[in-house]
Amino acid sequence: AGSDTAHARSAPQVHVLPGDGPAAYLSAPALVDAARTGGCTHVHPGYGFLSESADFADLLAEAGLVLVGPTAQDLRRLGDKSSARAQATALGIPVPPGGDLSEAAELLAGGPVVVKAAGGGGGRGLRVVSSPDELEEAVAACRREAPGEVHAERLLVGARHVEVQVLGDGTDVVALADRDCSLQRRRQKLVELAPAPGLPDALRARLADDAVRLLAGYRGLGTVEFLVRDDEHWFLEVNPRLQVEHTVTEQVLGVDLVVAQLQVALGATLADLGLATCPPVRGSAVQLRVLAEQVRADGTPVPTSGTLRGLDLPTGPGVRVDTAATSGWSPDARFDSLVAKVVVSTPTTSVDALLDRAGRVLAELRTPGLTTNVDLLAALLRSPEVRAGATTDTVDALLPSLVQDAGPVDGLAAPTSGTVVAVRVAPGDVVRRGQVLVLLEAMKMEHAVTAPTAGRVVAVLAAVGQTVPEGAALVRLSAVDGTDDDVAPEAVDLDAVRPDLAEVHRRLSLLEDAARPVAVVKVHARGRRTARENVADLVDPGSFTEYGGLLVAAQRSRRPEAELVEQTPADGIVTGTASVEGRPVAVLSYDYTVMAGTQGFAGHAKADRFLGVVASQRLPTVWFAEGGGGRPGDTDVPVASALDCRTFAAWGRLSGLVPRIAVVSGRCFAGNAAIAGSADLVVATPDTTLGMGGPAMIEGGGLGVFAPEEVGPLAVHLAAGSVDVAVADDAAAVVTARRLLGDLAGTPRTWECADQRLLRGVVPEDRKRAYAVRDVVALMADTGSVTELRPTFAPGMVTALARIEGRPVGLLANDPLSLGGAITSDGADKAARFLQLCEAFDVPVVSLVDTPGMMVGPEVERTGLVRHCSRLFVVGANLTVPLVAVVLRKAYGLGAQAMMGGSTHEPLLTLAWPAGEMGAMGLEGAVRLGFRREIEAADDPAALYDSLVALAYERSKVLTVATYGDIDAVIDPADTRRLVVQALAAAPPVPVRTGKKLPWVDAW
């Protein structure tokens, strides 16, 4: 594309992209192919087309190429205006009032509103709305120019547009001066100055500081845009790329930003470049955008056509002209109308001196054969209003006095620049309202120009093959006698189904269970539900959007296409987005009715693509993992080992980013088992058999012949701790998965609880009598909200997700019924991993302490007790979620400290019940060790021992301990729940997350 342009003629290698116009430059695969063919290692994205595409960055990385720019994660984090705005808010950076479109009507009550596309740029995808009647069309226009989400913000009148140039090396970030870009027509920049004139030093410093904080850890060039009025500023957006106006910053700093950008991409640090701090600003500079257009008095740009018959460029000290235009060049209406950037710099900071010189330089520019906006630029440079300090409203206010209005378009106008591909009317034709008159092609899409009302064609001004600019007149109409009803549109049968749609309906019907009745009967005969039945039960009705349903198995070389369509729908894995209790989620399910739920090449590729969606949208995920592992019968993919499959890595990388729940029912072997085992929580039914190798792999390894049910039955995994929750059947598994999703995603719920006075009687008065700590958990939590995890593994340590007044909490407790509540290696691991899970997803923790300490003795030391118990200290000490500790009875030694994050002063609040006793070690042991000689010498050793223990108990009672300040309060057990709620309410709010809080949550 564009092989006859100056840049192509001067390049040592030229690779012609397939396609035509902008579409060619928007084909990421074609660009990657060209880069690889040319032997490139790095790809510079420029400042248009795919320069802000995270998907393009991902594609380059997959091809082993480096984007000369930020990471894909930063492109997603900062290139989306809504995401960037949320991060600015979280950092305390002011933003204009506004939010999603639901707030637009309320905002309009206070004045005009800016409606903007989250992914727009350069003024595209942006409209100013003054009344609710304009909102729908403005949103549609935004989406036409920049497809995607749209949000609304208050229009801040009388503000300056100031932006800060930023460079980062992936670790450090520096603000490289600022620019004023207030001179805009219809929110598109015309003139930029650096540095921004007249900014108070304190305000300039605040802008730089906010820009650096927002782009912490950023790599490459970026620009943070602000609105400034008086001494206030508001964050607008981030451009995570090189900008058109970078030239003025280069001129005042003496730094080639593009070279710096390339050096960073090659591994240089800011220190290496001498840019750890911003170089001193030298003088001032202005950039003038010379465009092949004229501007109407209302601000509408009208592209101009023509051919350059020569080109005279200004020269001299402090003059720079960036252009690709040469004699014989004609602007292409499908691209931006920029002809040249005229950049003028002076050693002074005087705005008048700078603009005077810029005016003289601009007068030297000649573009014979091509009309440009040079006259408008010259008028702006002379304007007193501009020199006094322009705002974003200045140009639009001045236009009526600066330009000669060309009048309205005479006839139906082209809605976009494009090529005429069809003219469907002729002069004299009578047309109906809505009838298609002309078809335009732009970027491989057809745009229909339709009659706004019934009329007669007076003239056709367009011809097939003609390229026309946006706004060009295409057809003139005159009124006809009568009304639109007299020339009514043809009746439309809303129930009509075209053949292409009928085929889609047929193909989609093959996804349903009804298309596989025999397989479904087999599943139901085992008391099981199908994959699609489980998915439908899990998600909110009507909310499921399936991804890749029309996929078939990669076996075209051995089976007919029609057979694959009929028998291998979705390649045996259902994937899609939905909502659960109104919260967005992702769902994946291997489908046992299709090739026994085995993992195929096509299904893996679909899962990889879908897990990318999960990561970018941060969707909590449920994966129904039943199936037999990899499928050996796929033939269409040329592989040797098949070990390059990326599904397991993609699934593992989600650890710590989003809650991940695996549901296992029936046979789950090999790759399917790896999916389940990598999840945060595993829910399983009684008929589950789970193993890293199935019967075939075991037999193939010479290890014997086993039935599937013998490999890894549920009882084995409950005892080993591999399964978190056992449930009765598929229906119960779905209910549990929904509850766990809500607990980890923080979904609010209504609640009720038991009479808290019942807690007063749970702990016996006899300090030696065991009791069930699970009774405390059940009473303290909201009724029916407790889901205990791994209950039969390390039973002396209770870990559970629950609710208190509808808020999710993690409950950690020692169970005196198992080893008196002593902490073993397994118990410490179980608790540490549970705390990781709570930390990763911002679930506060309530620790119920009743332990004599760590388990001791030679046998337990053989389990690696030192390391395992120390793990609990390390994880607990690094918690940032609120931790509330409640001493129920015994709190002794290192075990008690580990249950409280390492110390009684680590929790947000440390409470004790009246039966509580605390000390550095158990009372009996302390007395035996500390008073051994006295007891042995006593006339009645037993009586002395008992009296010493009684004395030690008095000193260790929590009422005594509280007098030393080791704990915060001794309470009535009936008040526990109330005090926990109050403590959690006082904790700071959870910040907006843009990435992981922990690198991962251990699978074990």
Side-chain angles (χ1 to χ4, degrees), residues 843-863:
V843 178
V845 178
V846 178
S847 180
L848 305 177
V849 184
D850 190 348
T851 179
M854 301 294 185
M855 191 65 185
V856 295
E859 287 301 319
V860 73
E861 293 299 346
R862 292 189 180 96
T863 67

Side-chain angles (χ1 to χ4, degrees), residues 308-357:
L308 279 174
R309 299 193 305 271
L311 180 62
D312 294 334
L313 300 178
T315 61
V319 178
R320 166 180 172 177
V321 180
D322 290 8
T323 182
T326 57
S327 182
W329 174 80
S330 297
D332 188 331
R334 296 170 298 175
F335 295 92
D336 193 277
S337 61
L338 184 64
V339 177
K341 299 185 293 184
V342 177
V343 187
V344 181
S345 55
T346 68
T348 176
T349 58
S350 166
V351 173
D352 287 335
L354 176 65
L355 299 189
D356 284 343
R357 183 154 196 263

Side-chain angles (χ1 to χ4, degrees), residues 283-613:
S284 58
V286 61
Q287 175 180 277
L288 308 169
R289 300 196 191 195
V290 179
L291 306 168
E293 67 177 31
Q294 290 181 300
V295 180
R296 300 181 188 280
D298 65 356
T300 304
V302 180
T304 58
S305 58
T307 300
L308 279 174
R309 299 193 305 271
L311 180 62
D312 294 334
L313 300 178
T315 61
V319 178
R320 166 180 172 177
V321 180
D322 290 8
T323 182
T326 57
S327 182
W329 174 80
S330 297
D332 188 331
R334 296 170 298 175
F335 295 92
D336 193 277
S337 61
L338 184 64
V339 177
K341 299 185 293 184
V342 177
V343 187
V344 181
S345 55
T346 68
T348 176
T349 58
S350 166
V351 173
D352 287 335
L354 176 65
L355 299 189
D356 284 343
R357 183 154 196 263
R360 294 192 297 270
V361 170
L362 191 63
E364 298 176 17
L365 179 67
R366 299 284 189 274
T367 57
L370 185 63
T371 301
T372 68
N373 66 335
V374 164
D375 289 342
L376 172 60
L377 293 173
L380 289 174
L381 294 176
R382 294 190 301 267
S383 167
E385 289 86 353
V386 169
R387 296 185 174 219
T391 70
T392 56
D393 313 301
T394 298
V395 173
D396 290 337
L398 290 176
L399 281 176
S401 63
L402 297 181
V403 303
Q404 183 176 357
D405 198 345
V409 174
D410 183 15
L412 297 182
T416 183
S417 302
T419 302
V420 178
V421 294
V423 176
R424 295 189 174 174
V425 292
D429 288 353
V430 175
V431 298
R432 301 178 302 275
R433 180 180 69 251
Q435 181 175 335
V436 176
L437 309 180
V438 177
L439 283 177
L440 295 176
E441 186 275 331
M443 298 180 67
K444 296 187 177 181
M445 295 295 294
E446 288 188 351
H447 300 263
V449 178
T450 60
T453 184
R456 187 181 304 278
V457 177
V458 175
V460 176
L461 307 174
V464 174
Q466 178 184 359
T467 298
V468 297
E470 180 180 351
L474 302 177
V475 178
R476 292 187 188 136
L477 296 179
S478 65
V480 295
D481 295 335
T483 65
D484 280 344
D485 294 332
D486 298 324
V487 193
E490 293 181 270
V492 177
D493 181 0
L494 298 178
D495 294 320
V497 177
R498 297 178 352 191
D500 55 353
L501 180 58
E503 176 60 14
V504 171
H505 286 172
R506 186 189 76 82
R507 292 285 296 276
L508 292 178
S509 70
L510 297 176
L511 305 182
E512 303 302 323
D513 289 339
R516 296 174 296 285
V518 174
V520 171
V521 167
K522 290 181 179 179
V523 170
H524 288 171
R526 300 199 306 268
R528 300 284 315 288
R529 298 199 301 197
T530 68
R532 293 185 181 274
E533 287 171 337
N534 279 329
V535 171
D537 188 29
L538 173 71
V539 305
D540 298 339
S543 70
F544 185 66
T545 299
E546 184 163 358
Y547 281 59
L550 298 179
L551 203 69
V552 298
Q555 299 182 8
R556 286 180 172 86
S557 62
R558 60 187 289 241
R559 302 173 65 180
E561 178 87 11
E563 179 182 312
L564 293 173
V565 168
E566 297 277 347
Q567 298 182 13
T568 67
D571 199 30
I573 178 171
V574 181
T575 61
T577 58
S579 63
V580 171
E581 297 183 88
R583 302 290 290 270
V585 300
V587 186
L588 303 94
S589 179
Y590 290 110
D591 187 348
Y592 212 77
T593 70
V594 178
M595 307 184 80
T598 50
Q599 298 175 338
F601 287 115
H604 270 311
K606 176 171 72 171
D608 295 350
R609 183 273 189 278
F610 184 65
L611 292 176
V613 173

Side-chain angles (χ1 to χ4, degrees), residues 45-70:
Y47 46 62
F49 300 112
L50 297 174
S51 59
E52 295 188 31
S53 170
D55 292 338
F56 182 45
D58 284 335
L59 199 60
L60 290 173
E62 291 173 7
L65 298 167
V66 177
L67 178 72
V68 181

